[in-house]
Amino acid sequence: MPVASTWTEAAKALADKVTGDTPAWHDAVSNTPRHLLVPRWWRRIPNSPTQEWELVHLPEGSPERLHAAYTDETLVTRVGPLHADRAQPDERASGDPTSSSTLPGLIVSMADQLGAKPGHQVLDIGTGSGYSAALFGRRLGDENVTSVDVDPYLVDAARTRLAEFGRAPRMEAIDATGELPGSEYDRIMATVSVRPVPPSWLRALRPGGRLVTTIAHTALLITADMGTDGIARGSVQPDPATFMETRQEADYPPKLNDVFVSARVREGEDVRPPDGPIPDLWQEWPLRWLYELETPGVETRAATYPEDGRRVVWLLAGDGSWARAEDGTAPLVHQGGPRRLWDDLERVRRKWEEHNRFSLHSLRAELSSEGSSLLSPDGSWTFAV
Protein backbone atom coordinates (compact mmCIF):
# COMPACT_ATOMS: atom_id res chain seq x y z
CA MET A 1 0.00 0.00 0.00
CA PRO A 2 1.32 3.53 -0.70
CA VAL A 3 2.74 5.38 2.28
CA ALA A 4 -0.05 7.42 3.89
CA SER A 5 0.56 10.82 5.49
CA THR A 6 -2.04 10.38 8.28
CA TRP A 7 -3.41 7.43 10.18
CA THR A 8 -6.91 8.08 8.82
CA GLU A 9 -5.64 7.73 5.27
CA ALA A 10 -3.79 4.54 6.23
CA ALA A 11 -6.81 3.10 8.04
CA LYS A 12 -9.08 3.83 5.09
CA ALA A 13 -6.64 2.15 2.71
CA LEU A 14 -6.60 -0.88 5.02
CA ALA A 15 -10.41 -0.90 5.15
CA ASP A 16 -10.57 -0.74 1.35
CA LYS A 17 -8.33 -3.81 1.23
CA VAL A 18 -9.86 -6.04 3.92
CA THR A 19 -13.58 -5.24 3.74
CA GLY A 20 -14.22 -5.68 0.03
CA ASP A 21 -16.48 -8.67 0.72
CA THR A 22 -17.71 -7.30 4.05
CA PRO A 23 -18.62 -3.64 3.46
CA ALA A 24 -20.53 -3.41 6.73
CA TRP A 25 -17.17 -3.36 8.55
CA HIS A 26 -15.55 -0.65 6.40
CA ASP A 27 -16.50 2.20 8.72
CA ALA A 28 -15.18 0.38 11.81
CA VAL A 29 -11.79 -0.38 10.23
CA SER A 30 -11.52 3.14 8.77
CA ASN A 31 -12.11 4.74 12.15
CA THR A 32 -10.01 2.53 14.43
CA PRO A 33 -6.47 3.86 15.10
CA ARG A 34 -4.61 0.56 15.30
CA HIS A 35 -1.29 2.37 15.73
CA LEU A 36 -2.44 3.59 19.15
CA LEU A 37 -3.26 0.04 20.23
CA VAL A 38 0.11 -1.39 19.16
CA PRO A 39 2.82 1.20 19.95
CA ARG A 40 5.58 -1.43 20.07
CA TRP A 41 5.87 -5.02 18.96
CA TRP A 42 8.28 -7.91 18.47
CA ARG A 43 9.81 -8.95 15.15
CA ARG A 44 11.28 -12.41 14.68
CA ILE A 45 15.02 -12.44 13.98
CA PRO A 46 15.48 -14.57 10.85
CA ASN A 47 17.29 -17.88 11.30
CA SER A 48 17.87 -17.33 15.02
CA PRO A 49 18.60 -20.75 16.53
CA THR A 50 16.89 -19.92 19.85
CA GLN A 51 13.80 -18.31 18.29
CA GLU A 52 14.81 -14.77 19.22
CA TRP A 53 12.80 -11.59 18.68
CA GLU A 54 13.86 -7.94 18.44
CA LEU A 55 11.84 -4.96 19.61
CA VAL A 56 10.28 -2.60 17.07
CA HIS A 57 9.61 0.89 18.45
CA LEU A 58 8.98 3.56 15.83
CA PRO A 59 7.94 7.21 16.30
CA GLU A 60 4.16 7.55 16.50
CA GLY A 61 3.64 9.63 13.37
CA SER A 62 6.38 8.11 11.26
CA PRO A 63 5.50 6.68 7.86
CA GLU A 64 7.16 3.40 8.86
CA ARG A 65 4.91 2.96 11.89
CA LEU A 66 1.77 3.85 9.98
CA HIS A 67 2.72 1.42 7.25
CA ALA A 68 3.30 -1.40 9.76
CA ALA A 69 0.16 -0.71 11.80
CA TYR A 70 -2.12 -0.54 8.77
CA THR A 71 -0.71 -3.43 6.81
CA ASP A 72 -2.80 -6.58 6.95
CA GLU A 73 -0.35 -8.44 9.16
CA THR A 74 -0.21 -9.82 12.68
CA LEU A 75 1.95 -7.81 15.09
CA VAL A 76 3.34 -9.93 17.94
CA THR A 77 3.12 -7.93 21.17
CA ARG A 78 4.20 -10.52 23.76
CA VAL A 79 6.79 -13.30 23.59
CA GLY A 80 6.94 -15.71 26.51
CA PRO A 81 6.26 -13.58 29.61
CA LEU A 82 7.72 -10.35 28.14
CA HIS A 83 5.39 -7.74 26.66
CA ALA A 84 6.86 -5.31 24.14
CA ASP A 85 5.55 -2.39 26.23
CA ARG A 86 7.80 -3.43 29.11
CA ALA A 87 10.97 -4.25 27.16
CA GLN A 88 14.12 -2.15 27.08
CA PRO A 89 15.05 -0.67 23.68
CA ASP A 90 17.86 -3.16 23.02
CA GLU A 91 16.25 -6.10 24.79
CA ARG A 92 15.48 -9.33 22.98
CA ALA A 93 12.84 -11.91 23.71
CA SER A 94 12.99 -15.63 23.06
CA GLY A 95 10.37 -18.33 22.76
CA ASP A 96 6.84 -18.51 21.42
CA PRO A 97 4.40 -15.60 21.03
CA THR A 98 1.87 -15.31 23.85
CA SER A 99 -0.14 -12.33 22.58
CA SER A 100 -0.54 -10.36 19.37
CA SER A 101 -2.67 -7.99 17.37
CA THR A 102 -4.15 -10.38 14.81
CA LEU A 103 -4.09 -9.39 11.15
CA PRO A 104 -7.11 -7.15 10.57
CA GLY A 105 -8.36 -9.09 7.54
CA LEU A 106 -8.83 -12.23 9.62
CA ILE A 107 -10.62 -10.32 12.38
CA VAL A 108 -12.98 -8.80 9.82
CA SER A 109 -13.60 -12.17 8.19
CA MET A 110 -14.41 -13.82 11.52
CA ALA A 111 -16.59 -10.90 12.59
CA ASP A 112 -18.51 -11.24 9.34
CA GLN A 113 -18.98 -14.98 9.91
CA LEU A 114 -20.14 -14.16 13.43
CA GLY A 115 -23.07 -12.29 11.92
CA ALA A 116 -23.26 -9.77 14.76
CA LYS A 117 -25.88 -7.05 14.34
CA PRO A 118 -26.53 -3.86 16.31
CA GLY A 119 -28.29 -4.83 19.52
CA HIS A 120 -26.51 -8.18 19.85
CA GLN A 121 -24.56 -8.84 23.04
CA VAL A 122 -21.08 -9.91 21.88
CA LEU A 123 -18.32 -11.62 23.87
CA ASP A 124 -14.82 -11.04 22.48
CA ILE A 125 -12.51 -13.72 23.92
CA GLY A 126 -8.84 -12.80 23.71
CA THR A 127 -8.57 -9.02 24.15
CA GLY A 128 -4.94 -8.85 23.04
CA SER A 129 -4.31 -5.31 21.81
CA GLY A 130 -8.02 -4.46 21.93
CA TYR A 131 -8.39 -4.14 18.16
CA SER A 132 -11.31 -6.54 17.74
CA ALA A 133 -13.08 -4.97 20.74
CA ALA A 134 -12.61 -1.57 19.08
CA LEU A 135 -14.17 -2.78 15.83
CA PHE A 136 -17.12 -4.34 17.65
CA GLY A 137 -17.61 -1.22 19.77
CA ARG A 138 -17.61 1.06 16.74
CA ARG A 139 -20.14 -1.03 14.83
CA LEU A 140 -22.35 -2.41 17.60
CA GLY A 141 -21.96 0.09 20.44
CA ASP A 142 -19.63 -0.29 23.41
CA GLU A 143 -22.52 -1.20 25.70
CA ASN A 144 -23.03 -4.39 23.69
CA VAL A 145 -19.41 -5.58 23.82
CA THR A 146 -17.58 -7.54 26.52
CA SER A 147 -13.90 -8.36 25.99
CA VAL A 148 -11.89 -10.75 28.19
CA ASP A 149 -8.30 -11.90 28.45
CA VAL A 150 -6.34 -13.96 30.97
CA ASP A 151 -3.62 -11.31 31.27
CA PRO A 152 -4.51 -8.34 33.51
CA TYR A 153 -1.86 -6.13 31.91
CA LEU A 154 -3.28 -6.69 28.42
CA VAL A 155 -6.76 -5.79 29.62
CA ASP A 156 -5.59 -2.66 31.46
CA ALA A 157 -3.45 -1.46 28.57
CA ALA A 158 -6.21 -2.07 26.02
CA ARG A 159 -8.79 -0.31 28.21
CA THR A 160 -6.56 2.76 28.54
CA ARG A 161 -5.73 2.91 24.85
CA LEU A 162 -9.31 2.36 23.73
CA ALA A 163 -10.42 5.22 25.95
CA GLU A 164 -7.98 7.54 24.16
CA PHE A 165 -10.25 7.46 21.12
CA GLY A 166 -13.59 7.14 22.87
CA ARG A 167 -14.12 3.38 23.04
CA ALA A 168 -15.33 1.90 26.33
CA PRO A 169 -16.47 -1.72 26.04
CA ARG A 170 -16.76 -3.84 29.19
CA MET A 171 -13.37 -5.45 29.80
CA GLU A 172 -12.33 -8.06 32.35
CA ALA A 173 -9.24 -10.10 33.14
CA ILE A 174 -10.42 -13.70 33.58
CA ASP A 175 -9.58 -17.24 32.53
CA ALA A 176 -12.14 -17.55 29.74
CA THR A 177 -12.12 -21.36 29.95
CA GLY A 178 -13.94 -20.97 33.28
CA GLU A 179 -17.00 -18.96 34.20
CA LEU A 180 -17.73 -15.88 32.12
CA PRO A 181 -18.86 -12.37 33.07
CA GLY A 182 -22.52 -12.08 32.21
CA SER A 183 -24.86 -15.00 31.69
CA GLU A 184 -26.12 -14.66 28.12
CA TYR A 185 -24.61 -13.64 24.79
CA ASP A 186 -25.92 -13.53 21.25
CA ARG A 187 -22.47 -13.91 19.71
CA ILE A 188 -19.14 -15.26 20.99
CA MET A 189 -15.92 -14.88 19.00
CA ALA A 190 -12.59 -16.29 20.21
CA THR A 191 -9.23 -15.15 18.89
CA VAL A 192 -7.57 -17.83 21.00
CA SER A 193 -7.78 -21.54 20.21
CA VAL A 194 -9.30 -24.08 22.57
CA ARG A 195 -9.63 -27.76 23.24
CA PRO A 196 -11.97 -28.68 24.73
CA VAL A 197 -14.53 -26.06 23.78
CA PRO A 198 -15.32 -24.64 27.24
CA PRO A 199 -18.78 -25.65 28.52
CA SER A 200 -19.18 -22.13 29.96
CA TRP A 201 -19.20 -20.67 26.44
CA LEU A 202 -22.04 -22.93 25.40
CA ARG A 203 -24.03 -22.30 28.58
CA ALA A 204 -23.72 -18.55 27.94
CA LEU A 205 -24.79 -18.72 24.27
CA ARG A 206 -28.45 -17.91 23.78
CA PRO A 207 -30.64 -20.09 21.52
CA GLY A 208 -30.09 -18.72 18.04
CA GLY A 209 -26.70 -17.38 19.10
CA ARG A 210 -23.51 -18.08 17.22
CA LEU A 211 -20.00 -19.14 18.25
CA VAL A 212 -16.85 -18.72 16.14
CA THR A 213 -13.68 -20.35 17.43
CA THR A 214 -10.67 -22.45 16.45
CA ILE A 215 -9.47 -25.83 17.72
CA ALA A 216 -6.07 -25.78 19.45
CA HIS A 217 -3.03 -27.05 17.50
CA THR A 218 -4.99 -26.97 14.24
CA ALA A 219 -6.19 -24.20 11.93
CA LEU A 220 -9.78 -25.46 11.97
CA LEU A 221 -12.18 -22.53 12.26
CA ILE A 222 -15.63 -23.53 13.50
CA THR A 223 -18.89 -21.63 13.21
CA ALA A 224 -21.85 -23.07 15.12
CA ASP A 225 -25.38 -21.86 15.93
CA MET A 226 -27.04 -22.70 19.24
CA GLY A 227 -30.27 -24.65 19.03
CA THR A 228 -33.15 -24.75 21.48
CA ASP A 229 -31.91 -28.17 22.65
CA GLY A 230 -28.65 -26.78 24.03
CA ILE A 231 -26.52 -28.09 21.13
CA ALA A 232 -24.69 -25.67 18.82
CA ARG A 233 -24.43 -27.16 15.35
CA GLY A 234 -22.20 -25.98 12.55
CA SER A 235 -19.17 -26.81 10.47
CA VAL A 236 -15.52 -26.15 9.76
CA GLN A 237 -15.13 -23.09 7.57
CA PRO A 238 -13.20 -23.15 4.27
CA ASP A 239 -10.60 -20.59 5.34
CA PRO A 240 -8.13 -21.78 8.00
CA ALA A 241 -7.21 -19.64 10.99
CA THR A 242 -4.44 -20.20 13.52
CA PHE A 243 -4.47 -18.70 17.00
CA MET A 244 -2.46 -19.09 20.16
CA GLU A 245 -3.92 -21.57 22.59
CA THR A 246 -5.64 -20.43 25.77
CA ARG A 247 -3.24 -20.35 28.70
CA GLN A 248 -3.61 -20.08 32.44
CA GLU A 249 0.00 -19.11 33.24
CA ALA A 250 2.31 -16.33 32.06
CA ASP A 251 3.82 -18.62 29.42
CA TYR A 252 3.08 -21.92 27.73
CA PRO A 253 4.58 -25.16 29.06
CA PRO A 254 8.10 -25.83 27.74
CA LYS A 255 8.53 -27.83 24.57
CA LEU A 256 9.45 -31.50 24.77
CA ASN A 257 13.17 -31.01 24.33
CA ASP A 258 14.00 -33.81 26.78
CA VAL A 259 11.99 -36.28 24.70
CA PHE A 260 13.62 -34.92 21.55
CA VAL A 261 17.08 -35.74 22.92
CA SER A 262 16.11 -39.43 22.86
CA ALA A 263 14.18 -39.25 19.61
CA ARG A 264 16.84 -37.41 17.66
CA VAL A 265 19.33 -40.25 17.13
CA ARG A 266 18.43 -43.10 19.48
CA GLU A 267 17.76 -46.60 18.16
CA GLY A 268 14.08 -47.30 18.58
CA GLU A 269 12.56 -50.09 20.59
CA ASP A 270 10.55 -50.76 17.45
CA VAL A 271 12.24 -50.28 14.06
CA ARG A 272 10.53 -50.99 10.75
CA PRO A 273 9.95 -49.62 7.25
CA PRO A 274 7.07 -47.15 7.04
CA ASP A 275 3.70 -48.20 5.71
CA GLY A 276 3.70 -45.95 2.66
CA PRO A 277 5.53 -42.69 1.98
CA ILE A 278 6.66 -40.50 4.87
CA PRO A 279 4.36 -37.48 4.82
CA ASP A 280 5.48 -33.88 4.93
CA LEU A 281 3.22 -32.80 7.78
CA TRP A 282 3.89 -29.12 7.03
CA GLN A 283 2.46 -29.51 3.53
CA GLU A 284 -0.07 -32.28 4.14
CA TRP A 285 -1.89 -30.23 6.75
CA PRO A 286 -5.23 -32.12 6.58
CA LEU A 287 -3.46 -35.29 7.71
CA ARG A 288 -1.55 -33.39 10.36
CA TRP A 289 -4.74 -31.90 11.81
CA LEU A 290 -6.66 -35.17 11.67
CA TYR A 291 -3.80 -36.75 13.57
CA GLU A 292 -4.01 -33.96 16.14
CA LEU A 293 -7.77 -34.45 16.46
CA GLU A 294 -7.35 -38.21 16.93
CA THR A 295 -4.13 -38.12 19.01
CA PRO A 296 -3.99 -34.72 20.75
CA GLY A 297 -0.88 -33.16 22.21
CA VAL A 298 1.78 -34.72 19.97
CA GLU A 299 4.57 -32.31 19.08
CA THR A 300 5.88 -32.54 15.53
CA ARG A 301 9.31 -31.53 14.27
CA ALA A 302 11.08 -31.95 10.95
CA ALA A 303 14.46 -31.39 9.35
CA THR A 304 16.42 -32.15 6.20
CA TYR A 305 19.88 -33.72 6.34
CA PRO A 306 22.17 -31.29 4.46
CA GLU A 307 24.58 -33.99 3.32
CA ASP A 308 22.09 -36.00 1.27
CA GLY A 309 18.74 -34.15 1.39
CA ARG A 310 16.95 -36.87 3.35
CA ARG A 311 13.92 -35.72 5.32
CA VAL A 312 13.28 -36.70 8.91
CA VAL A 313 10.08 -36.26 10.91
CA TRP A 314 9.80 -36.57 14.70
CA LEU A 315 6.68 -37.11 16.79
CA LEU A 316 7.04 -36.38 20.52
CA ALA A 317 4.63 -36.88 23.44
CA GLY A 318 4.66 -35.79 27.04
CA ASP A 319 4.56 -39.37 28.32
CA GLY A 320 7.96 -40.02 26.74
CA SER A 321 6.68 -41.67 23.58
CA TRP A 322 8.50 -40.72 20.39
CA ALA A 323 8.91 -41.64 16.76
CA ARG A 324 11.49 -40.75 14.12
CA ALA A 325 10.82 -41.40 10.44
CA GLU A 326 13.59 -41.00 7.87
CA ASP A 327 13.04 -41.17 4.13
CA GLY A 328 15.61 -41.96 1.45
CA THR A 329 16.50 -45.13 -0.44
CA ALA A 330 15.66 -47.30 2.60
CA PRO A 331 13.13 -45.42 4.73
CA LEU A 332 12.92 -46.42 8.38
CA VAL A 333 10.72 -45.60 11.36
CA HIS A 334 12.11 -45.74 14.92
CA GLN A 335 9.63 -45.70 17.84
CA GLY A 336 10.10 -45.67 21.59
CA GLY A 337 8.25 -45.08 24.83
CA PRO A 338 4.88 -46.43 26.00
CA ARG A 339 3.00 -45.60 22.77
CA ARG A 340 3.74 -46.14 19.08
CA LEU A 341 3.08 -42.67 17.70
CA TRP A 342 3.93 -43.48 14.08
CA ASP A 343 1.57 -46.45 14.16
CA ASP A 344 -1.15 -44.02 15.24
CA LEU A 345 -0.32 -41.63 12.39
CA GLU A 346 -0.47 -44.42 9.82
CA ARG A 347 -3.76 -45.64 11.31
CA VAL A 348 -5.24 -42.16 10.92
CA ARG A 349 -4.01 -41.96 7.33
CA ARG A 350 -5.52 -45.38 6.47
CA LYS A 351 -8.83 -44.47 8.06
CA TRP A 352 -8.93 -41.16 6.21
CA GLU A 353 -8.24 -42.98 2.93
CA GLU A 354 -11.06 -45.43 3.73
CA HIS A 355 -13.28 -42.35 4.11
CA ASN A 356 -12.23 -41.14 0.63
CA ARG A 357 -9.96 -38.44 2.07
CA PHE A 358 -12.89 -36.16 2.82
CA SER A 359 -12.24 -32.42 3.00
CA LEU A 360 -11.82 -31.18 6.53
CA HIS A 361 -14.21 -28.39 5.62
CA SER A 362 -16.93 -31.06 5.50
CA LEU A 363 -16.49 -31.90 9.19
CA ARG A 364 -19.66 -31.16 11.16
CA ALA A 365 -19.61 -29.63 14.62
CA GLU A 366 -21.92 -30.53 17.50
CA LEU A 367 -21.05 -28.51 20.59
CA SER A 368 -22.74 -28.61 23.98
CA SER A 369 -21.90 -28.00 27.62
CA GLU A 370 -22.07 -31.78 28.09
CA GLY A 371 -19.40 -32.45 25.46
CA SER A 372 -18.41 -31.32 21.97
CA SER A 373 -17.44 -33.21 18.84
CA LEU A 374 -16.45 -32.91 15.22
CA LEU A 375 -17.92 -35.59 12.97
CA SER A 376 -16.91 -36.94 9.58
CA PRO A 377 -19.41 -36.37 6.76
CA ASP A 378 -21.00 -39.82 7.25
CA GLY A 379 -20.95 -39.48 11.04
CA SER A 380 -18.89 -42.65 11.60
CA TRP A 381 -15.68 -40.93 12.75
CA THR A 382 -15.98 -38.67 15.79
CA PHE A 383 -13.39 -36.40 17.40
CA ALA A 384 -13.95 -35.01 20.88
CA VAL A 385 -13.21 -31.30 20.97
Side-chain angles (χ1 to χ4, degrees):
M1 121 181 140
V3 175
S5 59
T6 66
W7 80 261
T8 53
E9 291 178 9
K12 183 180 182 303
L14 175 64
D16 291 344
K17 178 179 180 180
V18 303
T19 67
D21 297 326
T22 55
W25 290 95
H26 190 280
D27 174 77
V29 176
S30 294
N31 288 280
T32 298
R34 190 183 186 217
H35 70 288
L36 296 182
L37 297 171
V38 194
R40 311 204 300 180
W41 61 92
W42 294 107
R43 179 168 56 204
R44 179 75 182 272
I45 299 173
N47 303 317
S48 58
T50 58
Q51 198 175 351
E52 286 190 315
W53 303 73
E54 62 184 356
L55 186 67
V56 180
H57 186 196
L58 302 169
E60 180 175 328
S62 68
E64 294 82 7
R65 181 167 164 190
L66 290 180
H67 177 75
Y70 297 98
T71 298
D72 190 25
E73 293 181 358
T74 293
L75 299 177
V76 172
T77 53
R78 194 174 184 274
V79 173
L82 184 57
H83 198 286
D85 290 350
R86 294 173 163 175
Q88 298 301 312
D90 59 349
E91 192 168 6
R92 290 186 174 184
S94 63
D96 291 322
T98 49
S99 188
S100 68
S101 179
T102 303
L103 67 162
L106 177 55
I107 296 297
V108 168
S109 175
M110 291 176 65
D112 182 61
Q113 293 178 60
L114 193 67
K117 302 289 193 302
H120 280 160
Q121 289 293 314
V122 173
L123 178 62
D124 168 45
I125 297 177
T127 301
S129 69
Y131 185 71
S132 54
L135 297 184
F136 283 130
R138 173 76 184 190
R139 177 144 190 253
L140 307 175
D142 290 331
E143 69 279 5
N144 295 317
V145 179
T146 299
S147 184
V148 298
D149 201 293
V150 72
D151 189 327
Y153 175 74
L154 293 178
V155 172
D156 289 344
R159 181 188 291 116
T160 299
R161 289 164 180 163
L162 288 166
E164 291 178 12
F165 54 95
R167 296 265 67 87
R170 178 183 180 182
M171 307 186 76
E172 293 198 20
I174 64 163
D175 176 1
T177 63
E179 293 307 309
L180 301 172
S183 59
E184 290 191 330
Y185 293 95
D186 299 291
R187 299 289 188 269
I188 297 176
M189 187 176 91
T191 51
V192 290
S193 64
V194 292
R195 188 172 187 183
V197 178
S200 59
W201 298 8
L202 297 155
R203 289 194 296 267
L205 193 60
R206 290 188 176 114
R210 180 171 295 174
L211 167 67
V212 176
T213 189
T214 51
I215 302 302
H217 305 295
T218 76
L220 301 178
L221 176 65
I222 294 172
T223 300
D225 295 325
M226 179 58 73
T228 56
D229 58 357
I231 299 175
R233 295 177 174 85
S235 61
V236 173
Q237 296 303 303
D239 295 327
T242 303
F243 288 102
M244 302 167 201
E245 188 178 6
T246 51
R247 55 182 171 86
Q248 284 71 47
E249 305 298 332
D251 200 355
Y252 295 110
K255 292 184 179 297
L256 300 174
N257 292 332
D258 54 340
V259 182
F260 185 57
V261 169
S262 295
R264 189 172 182 183
V265 294
R266 181 179 169 185
E267 185 78 8
E269 299 160 17
D270 177 81
V271 182
R272 62 171 176 83
D275 180 12
I278 293 173
D280 182 344
L281 295 176
W282 279 258
Q283 295 296 323
E284 299 179 50
W285 53 263
L287 175 60
R288 181 181 179 185
W289 296 342
L290 281 174
Y291 180 54
E292 170 63 29
L293 291 175
E294 182 82 350
T295 313
V298 175
E299 187 177 308
T300 57
R301 302 190 187 187
T304 300
Y305 291 118
E307 59 271 15
D308 56 12
R310 284 183 301 131
R311 289 188 306 111
V312 57
V313 176
W314 292 276
L315 305 177
L316 314 170
D319 64 1
S321 301
W322 59 270
R324 182 179 73 253
E326 301 176 3
D327 69 2
T329 55
L332 274 182
V333 174
H334 295 254
Q335 300 185 90
R339 290 185 289 154
R340 297 293 177 256
L341 300 181
W342 200 266
D343 291 0
D344 290 339
L345 176 62
E346 290 180 340
R347 176 177 52 79
V348 170
R349 180 166 60 184
R350 286 194 300 270
K351 192 168 183 177
W352 187 35
E353 290 170 349
E354 291 168 2
H355 284 71
N356 298 315
R357 296 175 64 92
F358 58 80
S359 168
L360 269 59
H361 307 142
S362 64
L363 287 169
R364 296 179 290 116
E366 293 187 1
L367 317 176
S368 82
S369 59
E370 304 302 318
S372 298
S373 300
L374 293 180
L375 297 87
S376 62
D378 64 3
S380 65
W381 196 0
T382 302
F383 308 94
V385 295

